[in-house]
Amino acid sequence: MLSFRPAETNDTPSIKQFVAQAGLSSEGIENCIQTFIILETDKKKMAGTVGLERFGTDGLIRSLVLDKEYSSEELLLQLLKAVIRLADYKGIETVYLLTRVTSIFYALGFTEIPYDKVPDDLLNSPHLKQYDRDQIAIMKRQLIPST
């Protein structure tokens, strides 16, 4: 049986290792650990994780990883929905994510946007800067209508 829980500060090393093993950058996780969600087994084994980095009223969904043993589109969607609920709860108005595969995210209301439409603070984030712009897509979803 799998369950979701908020990450705690002492989860930082295991999340960083889990994310790095998946080939993603773990840089900066310690700065936003309070907005990470862990998917774990009843034996407390990490099966997945996702985080949210806040930039004012914007949020960057990052470090979305599932253990190969638990990899499924359904669990991926559950993790995404959980972090979107967290972003909404935290008052985030717009969430962004970086991806190489866009198709699954359209079902959750994300749209692909060009780099010149990304807020400067996100463009300057260490997490986004490490990726080659030609190899990833940036997607966005509005949570709260802007005024």
Side-chain angles (χ1 to χ4, degrees):
M1 181 144 149
L2 298 172
S3 60
F4 294 93
R5 71 170 177 84
E8 300 172 359
T9 304
N10 62 348
D11 292 313
T12 303
S14 56
I15 290 175
K16 288 183 84 159
Q17 180 180 11
F18 188 76
V19 168
Q21 286 175 340
L24 299 177
S25 172
S26 62
E27 182 181 343
I29 287 176
E30 62 280 353
N31 299 326
C32 55
I33 193 69
Q34 70 281 1
T35 51
F36 262 75
I37 297 169
I38 295 173
L39 175 65
E40 66 184 4
T41 68
D42 51 358
K43 295 180 181 174
K44 305 299 180 199
K45 177 187 177 206
M46 192 176 303
T49 190
V50 64
L52 180 70
E53 219 173 321
R54 187 175 192 134
F55 298 89
T57 58
D58 296 323
L60 179 63
I61 295 173
R62 58 165 295 172
S63 308
L64 176 61
V65 178
L66 279 172
D67 184 292
K68 289 181 183 180
E69 184 179 341
Y70 301 97
S71 186
S72 75
E73 190 172 298
E74 179 184 340
L75 283 175
L76 182 74
L77 287 171
Q78 287 180 19
L79 270 170
L80 277 167
K81 287 177 183 177
V83 79
I84 289 168
R85 281 191 304 273
L86 175 63
D88 190 40
Y89 174 77
K90 296 279 188 181
I92 300 289
E93 294 178 9
T94 309
V95 289
Y96 297 82
L97 58 82
L98 314 174
T99 185
R100 289 184 176 92
V101 180
T102 58
S103 56
I104 192 169
F105 301 105
Y106 289 113
L108 291 173
F110 283 88
T111 56
E112 191 171 348
I113 62 169
Y115 268 81
D116 64 352
K117 299 293 182 191
V118 178
D120 287 341
D121 52 352
L122 262 76
L123 282 177
N124 292 321
S125 77
H127 185 70
L128 193 142
K129 279 184 167 184
Q130 67 190 326
Y131 292 99
D132 183 347
R133 292 181 179 197
D134 297 330
Q135 294 181 354
I136 60 159
I138 298 181
M139 300 189 80
K140 130 183 184 175
R141 177 178 167 185
Q142 199 75 30
L143 299 182
I144 299 171
S146 51
T147 54

